[in-house]
Amino acid sequence: MNHLSIYNPATGEKIADVPADDAASVAAKTARARAAQPAWAARPLSERQACIERFRAGVVRDLESLAQTMTRETGKPIKMSRNELNGLLPRLDFFVGMVDTVTAPETVYDEGGMKERIEHMPLGVVGNISAWNYPWFVGCNVIVPALLTGNAVVYKPSEYATLTGLEIARLLHEAGVPPHVFTALVGGGPVGAALLEQKIEGLFFTGSYATGARIAQTVGSRFMKLQLELGGKDPTYVCDDADPKAAAESLADGAMYNTGQSCCSVERIYVHEKIHDAFVAAFVETVKGFKAGDPMQDDTYIGAITRAPQLDVLEAQVADAKAKGATLLTGGQRLPGPGNWYAPTVFSDVNHQMELMKEESFGPLIGIQKVASDDEAVQLMNDSRYGLTAGVYTPDAARAQKVLSRINAGSLYWNCCDRVSPRLPWSGFGDSGVGLTLSTYGIEAFTRPRAWHLRAA
Ligand code: NAD
């Protein structure tokens, strides 16, 4: 049997060899999911809700060991692993609390013996191919509403978060979700590709633009529901009336949290020329205070780079920025190993000729660009093929509204950043993806509305 070897990116050590799937086992598991789905959908919603409530209790009970597993395989600082698991709980509560309302049948017409009703059916069997950077969040954004609405789920966690994916499966099964209704697959890209070959009614993907585009091409003519949650190059504008120190502290965290490996990390900063220098000084001071080191230590802020190839991306963006005249203010190189480490890196005097202002860095690297006006900031913020989130810092609500309403992004932030809420839809414009998760729309996404025309005889 194939094995997938799991390494700790902070030390380079092998943690585990896990039996991996192949095309035949993917086909068999998906077929079993199809056979099991109708009985799951036929169970009362209250039973499915009770399963997710027991799953939640399992997460709470095992939180510390789950956090350690995630930190060991992704290099995420342990405090941030705990934060992710604690942050998951209100998401689960939201889904369990709202699913009744979203899926209740609706009578939309009732006159002269004629009734019209909308029924919210499950899609059937859905595939979920997931990312490693927030494996609990991005996994459960799909898995939980999909199960609650009566779907069977075939879930392929990232090969960089496999142990976490298997823990999600263990806890769901312990909570009463039948084994074939929720199935985890182990493996990398080829196992994900094998899942695309199966008969499924929906494919929900979180990951890079490159993989998302390949998946869209592969499944295009198959007419399944396709959602792609992809990367970003998220901009923030700091106006001249903002407090430069407060904005710098907030944005340094937004840029470097999870070692910059968040889909909604702040990836570009534009600062009004009047406060540019004060902002940059405070930003660099904050970043220099971030402690890099053993992700298992409570006071570590900068952890490992999870995927070794990303070090080359960071190095190339840094070399390109330097060659094109950017000013390196701190960092700019790998940190000594073993494991995958990169120093938190800040550039000023950047522009849109540079890769670090165009393509996702997905690491602790940020460029700060000076602007002369709100109009210039808006033009630069929109100069991107991505559109996941964007923000503005100013005490002036009307100014913030005016700037943000002109920005092409799925989530808009006023005086905050790098924030996700279960109550709000999570979606991207442009190459940041199609479809959405979270909010009531992110429950509805796993259902198919069916029309009933009913005339009493
Ligand atoms: P990735 O695209 O490398 O991998 C994502 C998943 O796709 C993995 O499970 C991988 O095994 C699988 N895969 C790879 N090749 C495949 C193929 N040919 N067919 C089917 N599946 C295949 O991305 P990643 O490194 O895991 O994640 C980082 C990216 O995810 C970043 O770009 C980040 O911005 C994005 N992301 C987006 C969101 C969001 O909500 N928009 C959330 C988290 C991460």
Side-chain angles (χ1 to χ4, degrees):
M1 177 176 246
N2 291 334
H3 280 81
L4 178 71
S5 298
I6 316 275
Y7 294 88
N8 181 336
T11 62
E13 286 162 355
K14 193 197 273 191
I15 313 171
D17 279 320
V18 184
D21 281 283
D22 56 21
S25 69
V26 171
K29 285 181 175 180
T30 312
R32 287 197 288 266
R34 176 158 305 285
Q37 188 266 333
W40 174 245
R43 279 168 67 168
L45 174 55
S46 58
E47 286 185 20
R48 298 197 297 271
Q49 287 168 307
C51 285
I52 299 303
E53 274 163 1
R54 287 191 294 270
F55 170 68
R56 183 195 196 281
V59 171
V60 171
R61 183 196 61 212
D62 294 350
L63 197 138
E64 187 54 31
S65 81
L66 298 172
Q68 291 190 13
T69 298
M70 177 159 45
T71 289
R72 266 206 313 280
E73 69 179 336
T74 66
K76 183 190 292 253
I78 187 73
K79 266 199 167 165
M80 298 179 191
S81 291
R82 293 186 192 120
N83 289 349
E84 182 174 344
L85 286 154
N86 281 312
L88 177 72
L89 307 177
R91 293 194 189 197
L92 301 180
D93 295 340
F94 175 83
F95 288 134
V96 169
M98 295 307 292
V99 65
D100 287 275
T101 316
V102 174
T103 56
E106 300 163 62
T107 300
V108 291
Y109 182 82
D110 187 358
E111 257 181 62
M114 185 79 205
K115 263 192 197 178
E116 297 174 358
R117 289 179 73 229
I118 301 172
E119 172 198 22
H120 299 277
M121 297 173 68
L123 296 173
V125 179
V126 303
N128 178 209
I129 298 178
S130 199
W132 48 265
N133 60 332
Y134 284 92
W136 283 90
F137 280 160
V138 295
C140 290
N141 287 354
V142 171
I143 295 163
V144 170
L147 289 173
L148 282 171
T149 49
N151 298 280
V153 179
V154 183
Y155 163 62
K156 198 202 80 62
S158 165
E159 57 272 43
Y160 296 96
T162 299
L163 300 178
T164 292
L166 293 175
E167 288 288 58
I168 291 174
R170 175 182 66 82
L171 288 170
L172 283 169
H173 295 152
E174 273 179 25
V177 177
H180 304 316
V181 167
F182 180 83
T183 312
L185 303 176
V186 172
V191 173
L195 176 55
L196 303 179
E197 299 303 316
Q198 309 309 311
K199 176 173 161 46
I200 51 179
E201 281 74 33
L203 194 276
F204 294 77
F205 172 78
T206 309
S208 62
Y209 169 80
T211 310
R214 197 172 311 135
I215 287 175
Q217 274 182 339
T218 305
V219 305
S221 60
R222 307 242 317 268
F223 302 152
M224 67 179 71
K225 176 152 195 178
L226 178 64
Q227 287 207 172
L228 305 170
E229 302 221 322
L230 311 177
K233 191 70 198 169
D234 296 0
T236 299
Y237 169 42
V238 185
C239 299
D240 51 341
D241 54 3
D243 173 346
K245 189 163 184 295
E249 285 171 359
S250 168
L251 286 169
D253 185 45
M256 304 284 172
Y257 190 88
N258 201 26
T259 319
Q261 300 173 112
S262 307
C263 54
C264 53
S265 280
V266 175
E267 289 242 349
R268 298 179 280 152
I269 301 177
Y270 304 96
V271 185
H272 197 283
E273 59 190 8
K274 283 193 191 148
I275 62 160
H276 174 268
D277 293 356
F279 175 89
V280 168
F283 192 94
V284 172
E285 193 190 326
T286 307
V287 168
K288 283 184 172 165
F290 291 152
K291 183 167 175 269
D294 179 0
M296 283 295 180
Q297 297 293 320
D298 271 0
D299 59 349
T300 293
Y301 184 88
I302 297 289
I305 300 297
T306 308
R307 292 174 60 255
Q310 199 63 24
L311 291 169
D312 298 334
V313 173
L314 295 170
E315 258 177 1
Q317 290 194 350
V318 165
D320 173 71
K322 280 184 180 166
K324 291 174 179 163
T327 304
L328 177 64
L329 299 168
T330 186
Q333 77 286 321
R334 295 182 191 222
L335 294 171
N340 316 324
W341 296 89
Y342 205 88
T345 299
V346 183
F347 280 100
S348 62
D349 302 315
V350 297
N351 60 50
H352 280 213
Q353 305 310 310
M354 299 172 186
E355 283 300 307
L356 93 164
M357 297 302 274
K358 292 197 293 199
E359 281 307 321
E360 196 176 38
S361 303
F362 224 58
L365 168 60
I366 186 84
I368 304 174
Q369 183 165 354
K370 194 187 285 185
V371 295
S373 67
D374 293 6
D375 281 348
E376 186 185 2
V378 168
Q379 185 266 318
L380 288 167
M381 289 166 90
N382 280 336
D383 179 27
S384 172
R385 66 194 186 98
Y386 298 106
L388 195 56
T389 82
V392 65
Y393 282 65
T394 171
D396 182 341
R399 185 175 180 182
Q401 171 77 29
K402 196 169 162 207
V403 169
L404 288 175
S405 59
R406 295 162 66 196
I407 303 295
N408 303 322
S411 292
L412 303 170
Y413 299 127
W414 178 35
N415 294 328
C416 57
C417 58
D418 192 22
R419 182 176 189 278
V420 180
S421 162
R423 295 168 294 277
L424 293 172
W426 185 250
S427 70
F429 285 25
D431 286 352
S432 290
V434 289
L436 57 79
T437 50
L438 298 173
S439 79
T440 53
Y441 298 98
I443 300 174
E444 203 178 88
F446 296 93
T447 68
R448 181 196 300 278
R450 186 154 64 167
W452 291 74
H453 304 245
L454 306 165
R455 185 187 295 284

